[in-house]
Amino acid sequence: MSPPQDRPAVTQETLARDLSQLGLSPGDVVFLHSSLKSLGWVEGGPDAVIDAFLEVVGGEGLIVVPTFTWCFAHGGPARFAFDPRETPSRVGKITDTLWRRPNAYRSAHPTHSIAAIGHRAQELVAGHDKTSTFGKDGPYGRYVEWGAKILFLGVDLCCNTALHAIEDWLDLPYLQVEEAIVKGPGDTPQIVDVTKSPSGDRDFYRRDSKVERLLRQAGIIRRGKVGAADTLWMPSQEMVEVVVKGIYQEPALLLCDREGCEFCDRYRQPTIDHIRESRPQV
Ligand SMILES: [Zn+2]
């Protein structure tokens, strides 16, 4: 297959060059949200994209992707039992290709698993199971501690799951317990509770959200082109700092202000009370 005549070819080499120009370096830890089709026609497909990232961060670097499956027992799109060795990722071709590589490690979380390749990959995903989706002692806490860059390749900040980690660390009252389906002993489907699950609405699921404006004002978002994709990234530690300060100022920052949003209406006042009374620390 050859590239369309009217567009320049996107290759592993051009992608690696673009990523370096955007500010990625050897040794980086990168949490990658992605859309393959946003890049234009890529010679070598998703594998070329993954190889470009691995090339730029090098042997001391680490690439992490969400491989969410949303295997909820009720109301989810995927009513089948989760198995980290076979359940496809539902968040894009790049993520679904990455976890299948022999040197990738995938976590066992039934709805929000992640996968990683590179330095300390196994350590990153360790212990990520139903008991804590975004817990500080799990992958989200580790990658922030390791100074990860959160990168949005052709997607916008609506998919910034690290914001759910901040909700978890501040113990905000609107994370829920949900039932998920996993493969139990003898491959029998088994229903398990997932604690602190990010159900319900959020303001940042829409463009130009309150938190997006806050992050823009803080000046921590770097932008550029990778292939044809509008791409941005920000340092996770600075993001956590800015958002936590923002939540102290406005506790319902991550909830929406739309009229008639039952979820956000229900949890607005309990969230304000929780932040004002408990002053939780991350
Ligand atoms: Zn809402």
Side-chain angles (χ1 to χ4, degrees):
M1 210 169 122
S2 49
Q5 299 293 312
D6 56 340
R7 273 182 280 165
V10 177
T11 64
Q12 182 184 331
E13 196 185 345
T14 67
L15 289 169
R17 183 200 63 205
D18 292 349
L19 290 170
S20 296
Q21 279 175 2
L22 189 65
L24 296 201
S25 323
D28 275 351
V29 177
V30 178
F31 192 98
L32 169 64
H33 297 281
S34 58
S35 155
L36 178 64
K37 66 175 189 285
S38 71
L39 292 162
W41 187 89
V42 181
E43 189 183 304
D47 279 304
V49 182
I50 294 163
D51 286 332
F53 273 91
L54 292 172
E55 182 188 327
V56 172
V57 303
E60 297 296 304
L62 176 64
I63 302 298
V64 191
V65 296
T67 56
F68 301 164
T69 55
W70 298 306
C71 290
F72 291 109
H74 309 286
R79 296 184 191 195
F80 48 81
F82 174 71
D83 180 341
R85 294 158 304 176
E86 60 182 41
T87 309
S89 165
R90 291 176 165 259
V91 283
K93 191 70 189 159
I94 294 170
T95 70
D96 196 51
T97 303
L98 188 142
W99 79 259
R100 294 170 193 275
R101 286 198 171 192
N103 60 344
Y105 292 89
R106 188 185 197 186
S107 72
H109 194 287
T111 56
H112 288 76
S113 63
I114 61 162
I117 295 181
H119 186 57
R120 300 174 86 182
Q122 189 173 14
E123 188 185 341
L124 183 88
V125 308
H128 188 216
D129 65 16
K130 65 190 169 65
T131 56
S132 179
T133 306
F134 300 107
K136 190 97 202 230
D137 55 354
Y140 285 83
R142 285 184 206 120
Y143 83 63
V144 171
E145 190 187 321
W146 297 353
K149 294 170 174 173
I150 306 177
L151 193 139
F152 302 82
L153 182 68
V155 291
D156 58 41
L157 295 178
C158 302
C159 61
N160 191 2
T161 46
L163 295 171
H164 294 308
I166 297 172
E167 295 174 331
D168 180 304
W169 303 348
L170 291 173
D171 204 19
L172 298 185
Y174 51 83
L175 292 170
Q176 311 280 311
V177 177
E178 296 283 353
E179 290 184 332
I181 316 183
V182 299
K183 268 195 188 165
D187 284 354
T188 316
Q190 200 178 25
I191 292 190
V192 295
D193 280 346
V194 175
T195 54
K196 288 191 161 188
S197 188
S199 316
D201 188 40
R202 297 293 189 277
D203 185 52
F204 66 87
Y205 292 166
R206 295 166 205 97
R207 284 181 178 208
D208 197 35
S209 63
K210 292 180 279 182
V211 73
E212 183 176 341
R213 294 197 292 269
L214 183 72
L215 292 164
R216 276 205 305 261
Q217 282 158 16
I220 63 168
I221 301 176
R222 329 283 160 91
R223 291 173 192 278
K225 279 271 188 198
V226 174
D230 291 321
T231 302
L232 53 93
W233 69 267
M234 54 192 147
S236 57
Q237 290 173 352
E238 290 177 39
M239 189 204 77
V240 170
E241 211 172 291
V242 168
V243 174
V244 169
K245 269 190 200 155
I247 288 175
Y248 285 151
Q249 294 271 321
E250 184 188 351
L253 176 69
L254 302 179
L255 297 175
C256 84
D257 300 317
R258 289 184 308 154
E259 210 171 305
C261 180
E262 203 187 308
F263 183 87
C264 297
D265 272 352
R266 188 182 340 144
Y267 287 104
R268 187 171 299 106
Q269 195 57 46
T271 302
I272 295 169
D273 294 344
H274 171 70
I275 292 293
R276 301 255 155 93
E277 286 159 21
S278 317
R279 298 297 290 178
Q281 306 289 313
V282 293

